[in-house]
Amino acid sequence: MRRLLIGILLVPGLTAQAADDESLIERGRYLARTADCAACHTAEGGAPFAGGVPIASPFGTIYGTNITPDPDYGIGEYSADDFYHALTEGETPSGRQLYPAMPYTSYHLMRREDADAIYAFLMSREPIARAAPETDLSFPYNQRWGVAFWNLIYADALEPDASSSQSSAWQRGQYLVEAMGHCGNAIRPQLDGRHGSRPPPGGR
């Protein structure tokens, strides 16, 4: 009887927690679409977020990685902190440097709570035990340690303009464009020339 009473008392709290978790996952689903994660991580005809998307570059072929929660081939061993660091700094938990085709220079502006929501969504997906093809770049672009020097020269450390002279809608739009949508990775050189000498990106 005592156990039954304890169980009854716990049910409302567990139900509320489940609702909170589902809300976070749904928010992450929306944000993953906003960040266009599927474009690089879901191959045509392949499982969602299992990687394998080929990305052509002047230096070779880059492949989107598996970001399902599989512990061997995906991000199943990542903590939320690991995921946020990889997303915003371009470095995996093992210290492996990501190529800047992964738009971490834009995701650097992503709010932690938004990254956590995307993480919750991805970790709710079906794990796919499949390795994505290895990125195949010519020398010296296949030397990942060199990306650290690229970051020193080209990686942005900008923050969204939170000037009170702009409306909240304007600031929200800027955040979606600059951070989540990483639109500046493709069009900023044409807009203001700040990165006109930036070399074409590598991969992951």
Side-chain angles (χ1 to χ4, degrees):
M1 184 66 177
R2 183 179 178 183
R3 290 182 179 178
L4 177 61
L5 289 174
I6 292 174
I8 292 172
L9 291 173
L10 287 176
V11 165
L14 293 175
T15 302
Q17 181 62 52
D20 288 344
D21 291 346
E22 186 59 33
S23 176
L24 183 64
I25 289 169
E26 284 306 308
R27 175 170 170 75
R29 187 191 308 274
Y30 159 73
L31 291 170
R33 290 197 190 104
T34 304
D36 206 15
C37 300
C40 292
H41 296 282
T42 302
E44 185 176 356
F49 305 109
V53 178
I55 305 169
S57 85
F59 315 116
T61 303
I62 306 148
Y63 292 93
T65 54
N66 183 334
I67 56 171
T68 73
D70 183 78
D72 296 317
Y73 299 107
I75 60 170
E77 295 295 324
Y78 281 39
S79 67
D81 287 341
D82 292 335
F83 181 75
Y84 181 70
H85 184 75
L87 199 64
T88 60
E89 301 297 334
E91 185 180 54
T92 69
S94 65
R96 183 171 179 254
Q97 182 67 58
L98 301 178
Y99 287 108
M102 163 64 180
Y104 56 84
T105 53
S106 290
Y107 292 158
H108 176 76
L109 304 175
M110 190 182 296
R111 300 184 185 110
R112 176 61 192 260
E113 60 266 28
D114 288 343
D116 286 348
I118 294 173
Y119 173 78
F121 166 65
L122 291 175
M123 297 306 271
S124 75
R125 305 294 301 178
E126 178 186 358
I128 305 297
R130 183 182 307 132
E134 286 292 326
T135 287
D136 183 20
L137 299 178
S138 59
F139 183 83
Y141 304 104
N142 60 350
Q143 303 299 303
R144 288 180 180 268
W145 57 266
V147 178
F149 295 100
W150 186 95
N151 289 336
L152 288 174
I153 299 171
Y154 297 108
D156 290 333
L158 302 177
E159 296 297 333
D161 181 5
S163 171
S164 59
S165 65
Q166 302 292 350
S167 69
S168 59
W170 185 95
Q171 292 179 42
R172 174 65 175 168
Q174 185 195 37
Y175 177 68
L176 291 174
V177 168
E178 291 279 348
M180 302 300 296
H182 52 86
C183 302
N185 279 41
I187 65 173
R188 183 179 289 160
Q190 287 76 27
L191 289 177
D192 59 21
R194 275 185 291 169
H195 303 302
S197 61
R198 175 181 290 184
R204 290 164 179 72

